[in-house]
Amino acid sequence: MIIPPFSKPAMTDYKEKYEELLKENSILRRENEFLRAKSGLNHDLRNSGEREKTSRENVLLEHLIDSIPQAIAIIDLEDRVVMVNREFTDLFGYTPEEAVGRYVDDLIIPEDLKHDSVKPGEIAFENHRVTRNTIRCDKTGRRINVSLIATNVLIDNDIVASLGIYRDISVEKKNQTIQEILYNISTAALNQTDIKEIYPTIVQELSKIWDTNNFFIALYDKASDTLSMPFFSDEKDQFERVPARKTISKWAIGLKKSVLLKVNDMKCLENSGDIDLVGAPCKVWMGVPLKAEKEIIGVMAFQDYHDEDKFSQEDVTVLEFIANQIAIALQRRIMIDNVIMASRKAEEAAQSKQQFMSTMSHEIRTPLNEVIGITNLLLQGNPREDQMDYIKTLRFSGNHLLTLVNDVLDYNKMESGRIEFEQTSFNLSDFLKDIQRTYSFRSKSKNLEFDITRQNDLPDNLTGDPIRLNQILSNLLSNALKFTQKGSIHVILKELERNAGTTKIEFTVKDTGIGIPKDKHDYIFESYTQASPDTTRHYGGTGLGLAICKRLVELQGGHIEVESETGKGSAFRFVLTFGIAEKSEASQKGETSESYVGLEGKRILVAEDNKINFFVANKFLNGWGVKVTHAENGRIALNLLEKEDFDLVLMDLHMPVLDGIEATKIIRNSDDPRIKDIPVVALTAAIMSETHDRIDNLNINDYVLKPFKPRDLFEKILKNVR
């Protein structure tokens, strides 16, 4: 085929078409590039928006975690730290940069605990959420008691990480330890018959906080100016008794406050002539005075020969608090021993016994008022369950000690023929509930069964002396608890006879204890006697409880007897006659035992020199809505009465400068009716005849005996307030 040559017009047309195609292709290419650019821009814009959103979410998450008041660490599946918050840095000392990427066990788990510790991630895998108390360490190696919560982080039901939440419980642990120390020391003071046996307990308990290898207790004898060391432990020295002179201990006693002395401090005191160093020089000395009431009886001190920074001011504060309680415990033990000793000699020196018992009543009841009062305040403060048993036991021990004191004092009153019985209405069911509540706790601690049974149709509202009835039953139940190691204790009430307006009730306290030989049945009701000579040594007691029970029963026209056999237990029975009341006083008032209404806005002047006793009274009064003004002695109280108006004066009878008795005399002799007629309720720890003789003619409206029950104080004030 022969292709004819292009003609000129044909060539021209092709060229124009070709150029048009090139132009169109160029336009299409530019448009395509523009579309691709636009698509990329849109994609970039979308990614940028997502990144911005993600960034904002991360900032919010970090802010949220940082705001949580617990230390938090997020840990990946390889147990490496991914994120920590500000509290984690504060608690453990690691910055986020230092913590992120490191294994959590290398970071905060002590070396000696790694073999048995479980990492948060592992805990979480097993249980998804686990809480436990453990020990961790900070950047410096300091060990920290923590509460750890470990939980899984899940996304679409897949575990992607674990969360460790740490809370510093060091203060809680320390407070718990201090509480245990105080409880154990107080228990030892109550139970030990020899005061020397208390000191090893003190040392053992204090070793829970401090190293007691260089520790001593020094008691100061002002008459001889000597220091005796009932306990002295030291790696370089050994002292039993030293002249006080210018020792650090004597200086601290004279200072009347706790001290923390380092090397330079001791050198300065020595150079100034304030102290003369005795024994090997130490690096640091920490001592607190042992204060009982307002008198300093000695000092308790730690020292260290190697580390000047062994003790801190915080240690001083803690030791001071413990020392105050130890001093009270020691004094209480000494006083109990003195009371028992004096009671045994009472028949040989009746007049001396009267004076001594009056003094002991005040001296023992005053610290008891502090112990029982603060215990009641603690119970009102909603304590934790783990604290409740300690507090209830402390209250029971305080009440038990009060019973011992009352036994001795009441026996003395019975001997002098001054005992009186009340005739007041009370509810028998409520009375028995209190007995059940009080002795069930102690019975459970010995794994003993305890119950109260009412036979026949006993009347519920009775007239008699519930306080003396409680005293009789408490003595019998305390005996039963003391001498019963296994088995049970039962209280049985049975009506023997009912006449018009009266009922005769038989009370039986039955136990499965050691029993009493038949030839001792009459003997045990005599004063200062027990079934065998070693009973006191093994079980304690004054030997007055059963003698008092017998006298209290017989003075109310009843009788008491015992059935017992050695090894098979005992049954004590007594019979009392009560009146039958329409309603008890509590029912007539329509009040519950927890109702404290009627004193709101009242102004009461409290004249009390003992700071702790005022603290206890003030807490209760404030809780009842009372406006309280404090006077430290009778003179200050009189000055305040001249300047201000009050609705009642709560007057302690034993105060310095001007006691409550003399202050009340001045009040009643005042020419100002506003002062003269103000109600006065006396606070007294002394219940002996001499005190009553002094206040009989004072026109005191009423009195409250220390240690007081909150209900008794409230009702006495409510009855007499303006």
Side-chain angles (χ1 to χ4, degrees):
M1 180 178 176
I2 300 174
I3 302 176
F6 287 108
S7 64
K8 191 173 181 178
M11 286 294 291
T12 303
D13 292 340
Y14 176 79
K15 187 177 180 180
E16 289 176 356
K17 288 181 179 180
Y18 180 75
E19 288 176 352
E20 287 177 1
L21 287 172
L22 287 176
K23 186 184 289 187
E24 288 177 0
N25 187 52
S26 177
I27 293 170
L28 288 172
R29 195 164 51 247
R30 288 197 301 272
E31 287 179 350
N32 188 46
E33 289 173 356
F34 173 76
L35 290 173
R36 282 201 304 269
K38 184 179 180 182
S39 176
L41 179 62
N42 289 336
H43 182 266
D44 290 341
L45 287 172
R46 284 196 299 272
N47 285 346
S48 176
E50 290 175 359
R51 285 195 298 272
E52 185 177 347
K53 182 181 178 183
T54 302
S55 179
R56 287 198 304 269
E57 290 175 349
N58 287 336
V59 170
L60 289 172
L61 178 61
E62 291 177 1
H63 180 74
L64 177 63
I65 293 175
D66 265 345
S67 66
I68 297 174
Q70 279 88 34
I72 294 177
I74 299 177
I75 303 159
D76 64 18
L77 298 181
E78 296 180 355
D79 289 311
R80 294 181 184 271
V81 177
V82 177
M83 179 186 293
V84 297
N85 68 346
R86 187 182 293 110
E87 285 291 331
F88 186 97
T89 297
D90 293 343
L91 180 60
F92 297 111
Y94 294 100
T95 65
E97 293 78 14
E98 292 173 329
V100 172
R102 294 183 62 180
Y103 289 107
V104 67
D105 55 348
D106 292 337
L107 203 66
I108 59 174
I109 299 178
E111 193 66 32
D112 60 319
L113 297 180
K114 287 182 179 180
H115 67 283
D116 62 353
S117 71
V118 183
K119 294 181 284 294
E122 294 174 349
I123 298 173
F125 283 132
E126 294 174 4
N127 300 292
H128 298 292
R129 181 182 176 91
V130 174
T131 301
R132 60 178 288 192
N133 292 339
T134 184
I135 295 174
R136 293 294 181 259
C137 62
D138 66 8
K139 186 177 179 180
T140 66
R142 180 177 64 93
R143 299 164 76 91
I144 306 170
N145 288 290
V146 299
S147 172
L148 166 64
I149 298 175
T151 186
N152 291 325
V153 180
L154 302 176
I155 298 179
D156 296 329
N157 292 322
D158 291 326
I159 300 174
V160 298
S162 63
L163 191 68
I165 304 173
Y166 307 84
R167 182 172 64 87
D168 189 353
I169 59 172
S170 302
V171 175
E172 296 176 18
K173 281 282 189 181
K174 192 170 187 178
N175 290 339
Q176 184 179 357
T177 301
I178 293 171
Q179 191 176 51
E180 291 174 357
I181 290 172
L182 295 176
Y183 167 78
N184 292 335
I185 291 174
S186 180
T187 301
L190 288 170
N191 296 333
Q192 297 291 355
T193 57
D194 187 350
I195 192 160
K196 294 180 181 178
E197 296 176 4
I198 299 175
Y199 296 114
T201 301
I202 293 173
V203 177
Q204 179 183 337
E205 294 302 317
L206 292 181
S207 66
K208 296 176 180 178
I209 302 179
W210 302 285
D211 181 3
T212 54
N213 289 329
N214 296 290
F215 166 76
F216 66 87
I217 296 173
L219 302 181
Y220 180 58
D221 185 356
K222 188 175 181 180
S224 61
D225 194 33
T226 58
L227 294 168
S228 61
M229 281 75 169
F231 185 87
F232 192 99
S233 176
D234 194 275
E235 60 187 87
K236 295 189 177 184
D237 296 318
Q238 185 61 49
F239 298 111
E240 292 183 1
R241 180 179 292 272
V242 297
R245 297 178 184 171
K246 291 186 177 182
T247 58
I248 298 178
S249 298
K250 172 70 177 297
W251 178 78
I253 291 172
L255 202 63
K256 297 183 178 180
K257 65 179 183 180
S258 305
V259 294
L260 179 65
L261 301 176
K262 298 187 178 183
V263 174
N264 289 336
D265 300 322
M266 287 181 277
K267 287 181 179 178
C268 290
L269 288 171
E270 188 177 27
N271 293 335
S272 65
D274 291 317
I275 65 170
D276 290 330
L277 295 178
V278 177
C282 60
K283 294 283 188 177
V284 61
W285 192 94
M286 174 177 66
V288 298
L290 294 172
K291 186 185 295 183
E293 288 291 319
K294 296 181 179 180
E295 183 181 357
I296 297 180
I297 61 175
V299 68
M300 187 165 63
F302 286 84
Q303 54 190 17
D304 191 85
Y305 293 98
H306 312 288
D307 184 5
E308 190 178 27
D309 298 318
K310 182 79 171 182
F311 309 113
S312 66
Q313 198 59 47
E314 181 182 353
D315 290 320
V316 175
T317 303
V318 173
L319 183 60
E320 184 174 304
F321 178 74
I322 295 174
N324 289 337
Q325 303 305 310
I326 289 175
I328 292 173
L330 291 176
Q331 190 186 42
R332 186 164 64 233
R333 182 67 257 175
I334 293 170
M335 289 179 178
I336 293 172
D337 293 344
N338 290 339
V339 169
I340 295 173
M341 185 181 298
S343 299
R344 291 171 179 171
K345 296 178 179 180
E347 293 180 356
E348 301 174 2
Q351 189 61 36
S352 298
K353 183 183 67 175
Q354 284 269 351
Q355 186 178 359
F356 176 81
M357 297 305 295
S358 180
T359 303
M360 285 296 99
S361 172
H362 179 265
E363 295 299 324
I364 294 177
R365 284 176 174 274
T366 297
L368 270 180
N369 186 60
E370 300 171 5
V371 173
I372 295 175
I374 291 176
T375 302
N376 286 325
L377 288 175
L378 289 172
L379 287 171
Q380 288 189 0
N382 298 319
R384 300 195 313 267
E385 288 185 8
D386 62 321
Q387 298 172 325
M388 187 66 74
D389 286 346
Y390 291 128
I391 298 173
K392 284 184 177 179
T393 303
L394 209 59
R395 182 177 65 175
F396 183 90
S397 299
N399 289 329
H400 179 67
L401 177 59
L402 181 60
T403 299
L404 291 175
V405 174
N406 286 339
D407 282 348
V408 177
L409 299 173
D410 280 346
Y411 186 77
N412 191 70
K413 290 172 67 178
M414 285 185 284
E415 280 190 328
S416 61
R418 295 185 61 88
I419 194 146
E420 297 176 356
F421 295 92
E422 294 184 359
Q423 288 297 314
T424 184
S425 59
F426 66 99
N427 185 275
L428 182 61
S429 295
D430 292 341
F431 175 88
L432 294 176
K433 285 179 183 177
D434 287 339
I435 295 290
Q436 181 79 44
R437 190 182 302 111
T438 300
Y439 289 93
S440 289
F441 179 78
R442 185 72 181 272
S443 300
K444 288 179 182 178
S445 69
K446 297 185 68 173
N447 293 320
L448 298 176
E449 180 185 348
F450 176 75
D451 62 38
I452 300 175
T453 303
R454 295 171 59 169
Q455 298 181 357
N456 305 339
D457 188 17
L458 289 170
D460 219 16
N461 296 309
L462 303 177
T463 301
D465 194 332
I467 295 175
R468 298 300 179 186
L469 177 60
N470 180 70
Q471 191 174 357
I472 297 167
L473 284 171
S474 292
N475 268 306
L476 295 178
L477 286 169
S478 293
N479 265 4
L481 283 166
K482 186 188 300 180
F483 298 113
T484 305
Q485 301 305 316
K486 60 180 180 179
S488 61
I489 298 171
H490 300 288
V491 179
I492 305 166
L493 281 72
K494 182 171 68 175
E495 187 178 50
L496 301 180
E497 181 180 333
R498 186 183 298 193
N499 297 315
T502 65
T503 178
K504 186 177 290 184
I505 301 175
E506 179 187 79
F507 298 80
T508 302
V509 178
K510 188 176 182 180
D511 64 62
T512 57
I514 62 175
I516 305 167
K518 290 186 178 182
D519 61 337
K520 303 292 185 182
H521 285 190
D522 293 328
Y523 183 72
I524 60 172
F525 289 104
E526 296 179 11
S527 307
Y528 309 106
T529 58
Q530 294 190 339
S532 65
D534 62 345
T535 299
T536 300
R537 185 172 66 253
H538 288 299
Y539 298 98
T542 61
L544 287 175
L546 291 178
I548 289 171
C549 287
K550 187 174 188 302
R551 289 290 290 157
L552 288 175
V553 169
E554 290 177 347
L555 287 171
Q556 295 180 87
H559 64 273
I560 187 170
E561 60 186 19
V562 61
E563 291 180 9
S564 184
E565 186 175 345
T566 304
K568 295 186 178 180
S570 305
F572 287 86
R573 294 185 180 88
F574 66 94
V575 178
L576 289 175
T577 300
F578 299 91
I580 300 175
E582 290 293 329
K583 279 187 176 181
S584 67
E585 290 179 359
S587 299
Q588 292 172 354
K589 295 176 183 177
E591 298 177 352
T592 67
S593 60
E594 300 300 324
S595 170
Y596 296 96
V597 179
L599 296 181
E600 296 84 356
K602 297 294 184 182
R603 296 198 63 191
I604 293 180
L605 175 62
V606 180
E608 171 66 74
D609 66 307
N610 187 289
K611 292 182 179 179
I612 298 180
N613 284 342
F614 171 72
F615 170 81
V616 172
N618 185 52
K619 279 287 187 181
F620 285 118
L621 291 170
N622 285 335
W624 303 333
V626 174
K627 298 178 181 178
V628 177
T629 301
H630 182 212
E632 294 180 350
N633 57 62
R635 181 62 62 193
I636 296 175
L638 292 173
N639 292 336
L640 288 169
L641 284 171
E642 291 178 358
K643 299 175 183 178
E644 303 178 43
D645 291 328
F646 297 94
D647 298 300
L648 182 140
V649 178
L650 200 59
M651 184 77 75
D652 182 40
L653 297 183
H654 295 268
M655 293 184 291
V657 184
L658 187 70
D659 66 23
I661 294 174
E662 294 303 316
T664 304
K665 284 183 180 178
I666 296 172
I667 290 172
R668 294 303 183 224
N669 292 326
S670 174
D671 295 327
D672 187 345
R674 183 179 59 86
I675 298 175
K676 182 177 182 176
D677 299 329
I678 191 169
V680 177
V681 175
L683 286 169
T684 178
I687 62 173
M688 306 305 295
S689 58
E690 304 90 85
T691 302
H692 286 286
D693 291 340
R694 291 183 67 194
I695 68 174
D696 277 345
N697 300 322
L698 289 180
N699 196 22
I700 286 179
N701 299 76
D702 217 324
Y703 70 91
V704 178
L705 191 63
K706 297 177 185 178
F708 60 80
K709 295 180 179 178
R711 169 59 56 182
D712 292 341
L713 178 65
F714 176 84
E715 290 182 349
K716 292 291 180 70
I717 294 175
L718 185 63
K719 183 174 73 173
N720 294 285
V721 74
R722 283 177 175 172

